[in-house]
Amino acid sequence: MPSRSAARQQTTAARRAVADARRGARAAARAAKAPGQGRAGRARGWAAGKTAAGVRALVNKARAARDRHTQDQVAAKRAQVRKAPARRKARWGLLKSAARFQGRRLLAALLALPVGVLGCLTTPLGRKLGWKWLQHPGRRLYRGLMRSAQEARAERDEQIRARLAAEEAEAERDPDEIGDRVERPAPVIPTNDGQEAIHVSGFKFEEAAAEMENAARTYEPDGNMEVLAMIDNLPTALLSIANTFRILAERSDEEFAFEKEVAAGFDDIHQTLINAVDAAETLVPLFRSVHAQDIARHEDPRNGTEAEKGWNV
């Protein structure tokens, strides 16, 4: 069974063939109605044939240009969907870098303020003695701190932009990532014979989610270290769920007969789940920090596990 893309191409080719046939029929009808016999009639027929060939060439050229324009638009939309997570991450990183710079500016002002007050006394003395290091110490301290903060911010921003360029280049190098990693169910292509095809999909997200919910409700771990292992793997699991909606966003934009707003909605869900992945990554060090002593008894027991059990209540 052909894919959806192949079915769309087949439908377009059939529609264009019908249009060409109708155009040819109208040209043949006009040629049949044209009077004239002999050399003049043959000349008019030859001119009509050349005109029809020219029309066909112009139509094919316009169709090719329209197809290239459509392919360019689809490629640009797919590139935007692939690059959206990296660009959003880069924007967030630049905002944090700017906030950190403003914090250092405030700190520099607070540190330079008492030194500047002291400079009200040392500046006249420095001018009288000709010592520049006594003149305007608060101003020079503030400028030095701000110069260091600006250099640090420029370095951070450059690293963020370089990382963004690398991620965008990676997305451009592997445009067929989804097709290589995901086993797609057999698509159902609507036919023109008036019979409605039965759609049986192999993707049932609600059943998988219900199974996960039921597993969490009935989960009885053998020990807290088992829960720790689950938390360590939680970011990877949530990333897989987020990638599910990223795949749906890309396929909605490329394969499914959906409007662009639907793909954007799937992408918004993907970004929300990416934030959940970030929250899960912060949970791992938090859990290990607040339970450091308990975890150490299991991962690095003193004189063996059996000896460490003497502290159990």
Side-chain angles (χ1 to χ4, degrees):
M1 183 174 292
S3 63
R4 292 179 182 271
S5 178
R8 285 196 298 269
Q9 294 177 1
Q10 183 179 359
T11 302
T12 302
R15 186 172 63 250
R16 290 177 177 178
V18 171
D20 292 340
R22 291 176 178 174
R23 191 181 300 108
R26 288 195 297 269
R30 286 194 299 267
K33 292 180 181 179
Q37 298 292 334
R39 183 178 300 178
R42 288 194 298 271
R44 282 193 294 270
W46 179 82
K50 293 291 289 184
T51 303
V55 170
R56 284 195 299 271
L58 291 176
V59 169
N60 293 333
K61 184 177 180 180
R63 287 172 178 174
R66 187 164 58 249
D67 291 343
R68 286 194 300 269
H69 180 67
T70 303
Q71 291 176 359
D72 292 341
Q73 285 185 332
V74 172
K77 293 294 184 180
R78 291 188 63 193
Q80 290 179 0
V81 172
R82 290 196 303 269
K83 296 176 182 178
R87 291 177 177 175
R88 191 172 288 107
K89 182 180 178 181
R91 285 196 298 268
W92 180 243
L94 292 174
L95 287 176
K96 291 194 295 185
S97 178
R100 185 175 178 181
F101 172 75
Q102 297 300 331
R104 292 189 63 174
R105 169 179 285 180
L106 179 60
L107 180 60
L110 294 177
L111 292 176
L113 179 61
V115 181
V117 174
L118 181 61
C120 295
L121 302 176
T122 61
T123 299
L125 179 61
R127 288 175 179 172
K128 183 177 294 186
L129 298 177
W131 295 346
K132 292 186 177 181
W133 61 274
L134 286 177
Q135 302 176 19
H136 308 293
R139 185 184 303 174
R140 288 187 286 108
L141 176 62
Y142 178 78
R143 288 177 178 174
L145 293 176
M146 287 305 300
R147 188 182 305 110
S148 176
Q150 289 174 353
E151 292 175 355
R153 180 186 180 183
E155 183 179 357
R156 288 194 305 269
D157 293 350
E158 183 178 359
Q159 292 177 356
I160 292 172
R161 292 188 177 95
R163 192 181 307 115
L164 172 62
E167 292 178 356
E168 288 184 346
E170 182 66 24
E172 288 294 338
R173 279 198 302 268
D174 194 11
D176 296 329
E177 176 186 5
I178 304 303
D180 294 339
R181 293 190 292 104
V182 179
E183 182 179 359
R184 301 177 181 177
V188 176
I189 308 301
T191 58
N192 296 326
D193 54 4
Q195 297 179 357
E196 182 178 359
I198 301 176
H199 185 194
V200 179
S201 174
F203 178 68
K204 298 183 181 298
F205 182 81
E206 66 279 5
E207 293 183 1
E211 291 178 1
M212 292 174 61
E213 180 183 3
N214 185 55
R217 185 179 294 108
T218 59
Y219 181 49
E220 294 182 1
D222 296 333
N224 290 337
M225 292 301 294
E226 181 180 339
V227 179
L228 174 61
M230 182 270 292
I231 293 178
D232 287 336
N233 296 325
L234 187 59
T236 303
L238 289 177
L239 182 60
S240 297
I241 299 177
N243 287 336
T244 301
F245 289 91
R246 177 179 61 83
I247 293 169
L248 290 175
E250 294 180 359
R251 298 189 64 188
S252 297
D253 186 63
E254 176 191 1
E255 301 177 15
F256 302 154
F258 297 159
E259 298 294 338
K260 299 299 181 183
E261 290 79 2
V262 177
F266 279 125
D267 187 63
D268 292 340
I269 297 175
H270 169 250
Q271 295 306 321
T272 303
L273 292 173
I274 288 296
N275 295 332
V277 174
D278 296 337
E281 290 177 349
T282 61
L283 179 62
V284 175
L286 174 63
F287 189 95
R288 287 186 172 274
S289 176
V290 298
H291 293 287
Q293 296 181 355
D294 301 325
I295 296 173
R297 292 177 181 175
H298 290 271
E299 294 182 346
D300 189 17
R302 294 163 291 187
N303 296 326
T305 306
E306 295 298 327
E308 193 64 47
K309 289 182 178 180
W311 289 99
N312 294 343
V313 178

